């Protein structure tokens, strides 16, 4: 291990500072452009030892678990709590701009829409059994080491207040030696906990977990490897005016505040379309909002999520017709003939994007499209296909759903011009 003094010139795509050296680029976590730092080099990896000259954009991070200067630091969840807000917002918006420029896409990128600390409703912890009980926290960056968390400045107040309960439950669940995922959703009327573990439970262990969960007042439901062990009350989410009971561990947007912005953008663009198709619909984040004004066909491969959407639509009053279809859009995308029925379309695929599906959309007559993504790189690829097919990108809005991380949500609105 050797010590070096480096000057950081820019940020990389994951939020690490970059220094240019005769041996090439060196990435240094927890640094900023303008920092002069002392680092320890070990096999090409740099660890920040001291900030000799701080960047003018350096601020005090709000979380005690952030950065290399704190005990048990570097939980891996946040990358840029130490950067001033204006510079941080410019960097995150720049991730979207750079992704579009890499595909030669000329589109108006709006200002970054912010979300506040303490508004994250979905948090995925890591947990593992130890000699002193279970440790509950987040994986340290680029490591399987779990950093114990006493507080999380991005998580909702209810999740933070329930951390002692969550640790007790993790201790009860940790019957195997392997680490496991401990997902927590802040829903109504309580927390929805979904555990994904590489070990199985014996019947006495199941009974202990059920008994322990019954004693914790903040928990509404607990599931283990997709099996509901106890449900005191069905968890609820509001998608517009419609109440949905999400499936255990099902995908939902991480921040309710971000979801509201995304819903407004999508509905504002597609709201006048008589018939809309929602691809990768999940439990109905957009479909149930759009059904206030449009006949909606929701397509999703996840059966439990689609069932939740269908049940919610059937219970709701005042909606236009909502139909559902279980379909793997990666293997069997909607074809050109099927798309002819729709004037509006929204798609929100996983991080891999929807390359095969947008190939058919690009040749369709669908008038308006809303493209939603948490990955600007794959979104830019998909937008390029649509634009080459004749669509025009009207706007691109970056949304900071994943505060202080390198991830950014994006909503792009497109229209096929009249011939």
């Amino acid at each position: 291990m050797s010590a070096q003094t480096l000057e950081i010139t820019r940020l990389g795509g994951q939020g690490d500072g970059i220094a240019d050296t005769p041996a090439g680029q060196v990435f240094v976590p927890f640094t900023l452009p303008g920092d002069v730092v002392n680092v320890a080099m070990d096999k090409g990896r740099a660890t920040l030892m001291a900030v000799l000259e701080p960047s003018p954009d350096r601020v005090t991070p709000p979380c005690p678990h952030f950065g290399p200067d704190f005990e048990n630091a570097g939980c891996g969840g946040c990358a840029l709590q130490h950067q001033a807000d204006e510079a941080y917002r410019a960097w995150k918006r720049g991730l979207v701009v750079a992704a579009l420029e890499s595909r030669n896409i000329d589109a108006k990128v709006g200002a970054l829409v912010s979300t506040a600390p303490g508004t994250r409703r979905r948090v995925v912890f890591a947990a593992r059994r130890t000699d002193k009980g279970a440790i509950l926290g987040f994986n340290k960056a680029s490591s399987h080491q779990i950093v114990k968390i006493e507080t999380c400045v991005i998580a909702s107040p209810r999740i933070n207040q329930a951390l002692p309960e969550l640790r007790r439950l993790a201790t009860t669940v940790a019957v195997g030696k392997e680490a496991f995922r401990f997902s927590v959703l802040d829903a109504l009327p309580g927390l929805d906990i979904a555990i994904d573990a590489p070990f199985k439970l014996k019947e006495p262990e199941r009974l202990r977990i059920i008994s322990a969960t019954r004693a914790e007042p903040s928990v509404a439901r607990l599931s283990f490897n997709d099996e509901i062990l106890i449900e005191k009350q069905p968890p609820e989410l509001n998608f517009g005016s419609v109440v949905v009971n999400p499936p255990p561990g099902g995908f939902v947007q991480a921040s309710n505040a971000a979801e509201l912005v995304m819903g407004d953008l999508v509905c504002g663009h597609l709201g006048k379309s008589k018939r809309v198709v929602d691809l990768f619909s999940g439990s109905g984040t957009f479909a149930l909002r759009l059904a206030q004004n449009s006949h909606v066909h929701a397509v999703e491969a996840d059966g439990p999520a689609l069932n939740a959407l269908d049940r919610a639509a059937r219970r709701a009053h005042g909606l236009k017709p909502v139909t559902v279809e279980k379909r793997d859009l990666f293997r069997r995308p909607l074809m050109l003939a099927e798309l002819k029925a729709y004037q509006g379309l929204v798609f929100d695929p996983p991080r891999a994007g929807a390359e095969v599906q947008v190939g058919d959309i690009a040749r369709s007559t669908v008038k308006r499209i809303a493209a939603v993504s948490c990955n600007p790189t794959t979104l830019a690829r998909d937008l390029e296909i649509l634009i080459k097919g004749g669509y025009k990108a009207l706007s691109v809005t970056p949304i900071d759903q994943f505060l202080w991380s390198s991830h950014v949500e994006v909503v792009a609105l497109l229209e096929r011009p009249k011939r």
Side-chain angles (χ1 to χ4, degrees):
M1 184 176 294
S2 61
Q4 290 188 28
T5 298
L6 302 174
E7 181 178 358
I8 306 300
T9 60
R10 60 197 182 280
L11 288 177
Q14 299 301 311
D16 294 338
I18 301 176
D20 294 305
T21 74
Q25 294 180 348
V26 176
F27 292 81
V28 189
F30 307 115
T31 62
L32 297 172
D35 279 342
V36 177
V37 297
N38 187 22
V39 303
M41 298 294 301
D42 184 19
K43 297 179 181 179
R45 297 175 63 88
T47 299
L48 177 64
M49 303 302 293
V51 177
L52 305 179
E53 298 178 24
S55 164
D57 292 324
R58 180 172 283 275
V59 297
T60 302
C63 177
H65 301 290
F66 181 84
D69 298 329
F70 301 95
E71 183 181 358
N72 272 344
C75 77
C78 296
L80 286 163
Q81 288 190 16
H82 58 310
Q83 188 175 32
D85 185 64
E86 184 176 352
Y88 164 74
R89 290 168 57 84
W91 172 78
K92 185 156 272 193
R93 177 181 179 274
L95 296 176
V96 180
V97 173
L100 297 179
E101 289 179 346
S102 72
R103 296 281 178 169
N104 296 313
I105 296 174
D106 183 15
K108 179 183 178 181
V109 179
L112 181 74
V113 178
S114 297
T115 57
T119 59
R120 183 76 174 260
R121 68 179 178 189
R122 178 172 59 85
V123 180
V124 181
F125 295 102
R128 188 182 63 248
R129 191 178 78 187
T130 70
D131 293 338
K132 298 180 180 180
I135 182 171
L136 181 76
F138 298 113
N139 285 325
K140 190 174 182 178
S142 303
S143 169
H144 293 297
Q145 176 187 344
I146 300 175
V147 177
K148 181 181 177 182
I149 295 297
E150 299 294 343
T151 185
C152 178
V153 296
I154 65 170
S156 71
R158 180 190 275 181
I159 292 176
N160 272 292
Q161 291 164 8
L163 280 173
E165 296 178 51
L166 301 179
R167 275 192 288 271
R168 287 194 294 267
L169 285 176
T171 299
T172 305
V173 171
V175 297
K177 295 181 180 179
E178 302 92 340
F180 56 94
R181 285 162 54 94
F182 196 98
S183 301
V184 182
L185 172 64
D186 185 352
L188 295 172
L191 300 180
D192 185 15
I193 299 175
I195 295 162
D196 184 12
F199 49 84
K200 296 181 179 180
L201 299 177
K202 298 177 181 178
E203 189 60 22
E205 295 163 347
R206 291 161 54 91
L207 294 175
R208 280 200 302 272
I209 293 170
I210 292 170
S211 177
T213 306
R214 189 175 285 117
E216 301 296 358
S218 297
V219 181
R221 179 172 69 184
L222 184 140
S223 60
F224 183 90
N225 288 349
D226 296 327
E227 177 192 1
I228 297 175
L229 297 186
I230 179 173
E231 184 175 79
K232 304 179 201 174
Q233 299 181 69
E236 296 178 351
L237 295 174
N238 293 317
F239 293 162
S241 62
V242 181
V243 176
V244 179
N245 301 120
F251 173 80
V252 299
Q253 299 296 338
S255 162
N256 184 60
E259 181 187 286
L260 292 175
V261 174
M262 295 157 65
D264 287 346
L265 287 168
V266 171
C267 292
H269 187 53
L270 304 180
K272 294 183 179 180
S273 302
K274 185 176 180 180
R275 294 177 62 89
V276 176
V277 61
D278 182 354
L279 305 181
F280 309 95
S281 66
S283 297
T285 302
F286 301 116
L288 295 171
R289 287 179 164 90
L290 288 163
Q292 297 286 342
N293 298 304
S294 307
H295 181 154
V296 178
H297 184 56
V299 185
E300 170 61 51
D302 185 340
L306 199 63
N307 291 337
L309 189 165
D310 189 40
R311 288 194 303 269
R314 292 175 184 275
R315 290 194 306 259
H317 298 286
L319 298 185
K320 299 291 185 180
V322 177
T323 54
V324 298
E325 179 182 358
K326 187 175 186 296
R327 183 165 174 170
D328 185 340
L329 293 168
F330 293 107
R331 296 177 180 269
R332 196 163 64 91
L334 261 67
M335 305 301 287
L336 189 61
E338 297 172 281
L339 291 167
K340 288 182 179 179
Y342 306 105
Q343 296 80 47
L345 181 150
V346 55
F347 66 94
D348 184 9
R351 288 186 60 80
E355 184 175 11
V356 176
Q357 179 63 81
V358 296
D360 286 288
I361 298 172
R363 298 185 293 117
S364 77
T365 57
V366 176
K367 177 67 175 175
R368 290 174 175 266
I369 295 173
V372 183
S373 176
C374 61
N375 186 341
T377 300
T378 56
L379 175 65
R381 179 204 62 205
D382 293 347
L383 293 182
E384 181 184 29
I385 296 171
L386 293 171
I387 291 169
K388 287 182 177 179
Y391 284 92
K392 179 181 179 182
L394 303 179
S395 67
V396 177
T397 304
I399 302 166
D400 196 12
Q401 176 159 224
F402 310 99
L403 185 63
W404 292 317
S405 78
S406 60
H407 302 294
V408 56
E409 197 78 34
V410 189
V411 177
L413 306 179
L414 302 97
E415 186 175 52
R416 185 176 286 284
K418 295 180 179 179
R419 296 179 180 177

